[in-house]
Amino acid sequence: MPGVKFCRMGFSPCGFIESSLMSENTIRVLVVDDTAIYRKVVSNVLVDAPGIEVVGTAPNGKIALQKIEQLKPDILTLDLEMPEMDGLEVLRQLKAQNSSVGAIMLSAFTADGADTTVKALELGAFDFVLKPTSGSIEESNAILKRELCPKINAFASTRCIRGILSGKPSSAAPVQATAVKPPDVVQRMTGIATGAAGKPKVVVLGISTGGPQSLTQMLPQLPADLPTPILIVQHMPPMFTKSLADDLNKKCALSVSEAHNGQLVQPGHIIIAPGGKQMKVRKSQDNIIICITDDPPENSCKPAVDYLFRSVAHTFGGRALGVIMTGMGNDGALGCRLLKRNGAPILTQDEATCVVYGMPKQPVDEGLADVIVPLDRIADEITRLVGGGVLV
């Protein structure tokens, strides 16, 4: 099957990828699902996609692990609930083996499915797509193709780029970053230590692909006495953001919750935008409150980083800290421009530790980033910039 180039990708909003020819390599996919019809549906969706080769299928995790040894796939499409061995156990086994095989989860649009998917992402799954639940077979196929193929291509792009940077063949390069510089290096691009108007009063953070795992590592490092609230847009559908917030709340010194309309923005609180809605802030007398709206998507995203950042730039001026972490697309770039125009500092995650270096790349390329920092130092830098206490 003719391949597409994976080494140079142009990221369009929220994850759709335009590719150009650089390699004859294909991305090898193993389809894992206990339902025969879903194995067939997913295989049919992928078989005609350029640069993707379906190398086999498996009805459960136990057989999938055997076929990984035999077929050497690059990535799995992985069901969560299966007999003998479920998707979570497959991920645990792959992690224990330090395997370079990636996984995109096929998730049910339910509260239980959301909880399990968040666990899967924390275990290292690259991303997930929702199983279509309504419409004709043709409509379901179209939805699945639209959601699944760009994420497989994003995995392939990241894998190839990491292989080049590390000097290894792309087929041997794992999704997790191979650092091209020491992992504790912080690049301070400007002399700005705080916003032009003083210490930030709020931290606003945009994140997408790779987010749950990265947030699970970063947020628990923040101190309990952090003097600012943190507002987060993580690209996720409804129910999934609630599961993520509940899970993070168990692990963090700060209170973590999914946002609700009219909620006060207070120090010591991390507020995550609800999936399928837009989140902004506004002044109400002497308070800053959260507004949840049903405004249209921006950059094909709902919630959108730009939507939140724009309101923060208007409400807080330069008394904000903008943070952009791992993710596909360029959502947040416009918001960073507005914050920067008001004198607010911008912090971005470095390329080596991003699962996908899409969202942070544009602010860096435009010269908006004041600090470029690896994942394990982001909490330190946030605390330094807002004037917080000792890390927990």
Side-chain angles (χ1 to χ4, degrees):
M1 180 183 299
V4 299
K5 70 178 169 189
F6 294 130
C7 296
R8 291 288 181 191
M9 292 285 188
F11 289 87
S12 62
C14 259
F16 290 92
I17 297 171
E18 298 171 357
S19 58
S20 55
L21 295 176
M22 275 186 69
S23 170
E24 290 302 311
N25 293 332
T26 58
I27 188 78
R28 295 165 58 83
V29 181
L30 177 67
V31 176
V32 186
D33 199 296
D34 67 328
T35 306
I37 189 169
Y38 250 102
R39 293 197 299 273
K40 181 175 177 58
V41 166
V42 175
S43 297
N44 287 345
V45 163
L46 297 180
V47 73
D48 293 326
I52 297 173
E53 178 186 0
V54 177
V55 296
T57 65
N60 61 54
K62 187 175 180 180
I63 295 175
L65 291 176
Q66 295 170 356
K67 290 202 172 185
I68 288 171
E69 290 296 316
Q70 299 165 2
L71 301 173
K72 309 298 183 187
D74 299 302
I75 192 167
L76 317 175
T77 64
L78 185 59
D79 191 19
L80 285 165
E81 296 183 8
M82 297 180 291
E84 294 197 60
M85 184 183 291
D86 63 15
L88 291 181
E89 185 57 30
V90 171
L91 292 173
R92 292 188 189 100
Q93 295 280 342
L94 294 176
K95 189 173 184 179
Q97 297 167 13
N98 197 27
S99 174
S100 65
V101 176
I104 294 177
M105 312 308 294
L106 294 180
S107 305
F109 191 52
T110 64
D112 288 343
D115 290 343
T116 308
T117 300
V118 167
K119 291 185 178 69
L121 294 170
E122 290 177 1
L123 284 169
F126 180 76
D127 210 330
F128 73 98
V129 297
L130 295 176
K131 288 185 173 183
T133 56
S134 61
S136 66
I137 293 177
E138 291 76 14
E139 289 171 333
S140 295
N141 287 353
I143 291 169
L144 200 55
K145 184 173 184 177
R146 185 178 70 236
E147 296 296 324
L148 184 56
C149 290
K151 293 179 180 181
I152 292 175
N153 284 341
F155 171 86
S157 173
T158 302
R159 187 181 177 102
C160 184
I161 291 168
R162 297 271 158 75
I164 291 170
L165 294 178
S166 64
K168 298 176 182 178
S170 62
S171 61
V175 172
Q176 295 302 319
T178 300
V180 294
K181 57 181 177 295
D184 60 346
V185 170
V186 175
Q187 299 179 63
R188 295 192 172 91
M189 312 304 290
T190 71
I192 296 174
T194 61
K199 293 283 187 182
K201 295 285 189 181
V202 66
V203 177
V204 282
L205 190 156
I207 192 165
S208 186
T209 307
Q213 187 179 19
S214 299
L215 293 174
T216 297
Q217 180 175 336
M218 188 275 283
L219 293 178
Q221 297 177 18
L222 293 168
D225 62 347
L226 195 79
T228 59
I230 300 178
L231 310 179
I232 297 175
V233 167
Q234 160 74 64
H235 294 152
M236 272 185 160
M239 289 189 285
F240 289 75
T241 45
K242 175 67 163 57
S243 294
L244 177 63
D246 290 348
D247 186 68
L248 288 169
N249 190 49
K250 300 171 186 175
K251 300 171 180 175
C252 295
L254 299 166
S255 171
V256 186
S257 63
E258 184 185 55
H260 61 267
N261 195 50
Q263 182 175 358
L264 287 177
V265 176
Q266 297 175 300
H269 289 260
I270 299 171
I271 301 172
I272 298 178
K277 299 289 183 180
Q278 298 288 18
M279 182 173 82
K280 62 183 178 180
V281 296
R282 69 175 178 85
K283 287 185 178 179
S284 178
Q285 297 179 342
D286 294 330
N287 297 314
I288 305 295
I289 64 170
I290 295 289
C291 296
I292 304 300
T293 78
D294 203 28
D295 286 343
E298 296 187 9
N299 309 310
S300 303
C301 301
K302 191 175 180 178
V305 180
D306 279 340
Y307 186 94
L308 172 63
F309 277 30
R310 185 167 60 247
S311 73
V312 168
H314 175 75
T315 304
F316 287 89
R319 302 295 298 273
L321 169 61
V323 180
I324 298 290
M325 294 176 62
T326 178
M328 290 194 293
N330 62 1
D331 189 26
L334 175 59
C336 285
R337 288 182 215 127
L338 295 175
L339 288 171
K340 186 77 170 182
R341 188 180 302 164
N342 287 338
I346 304 297
L347 182 155
T348 63
Q349 185 176 350
D350 73 354
E351 180 175 7
T353 62
C354 282
V355 174
V356 176
Y357 189 59
M359 285 169 54
K361 184 177 186 297
Q362 187 159 340
V364 171
D365 288 350
E366 291 184 21
L368 301 175
D370 297 291
V371 184
I372 303 171
V373 62
L375 176 60
D376 64 355
R377 295 291 299 276
I378 291 175
D380 287 323
E381 284 299 302
I382 290 174
T383 304
R384 182 184 71 84
L385 288 166
V386 304
V390 179
L391 294 181
V392 295

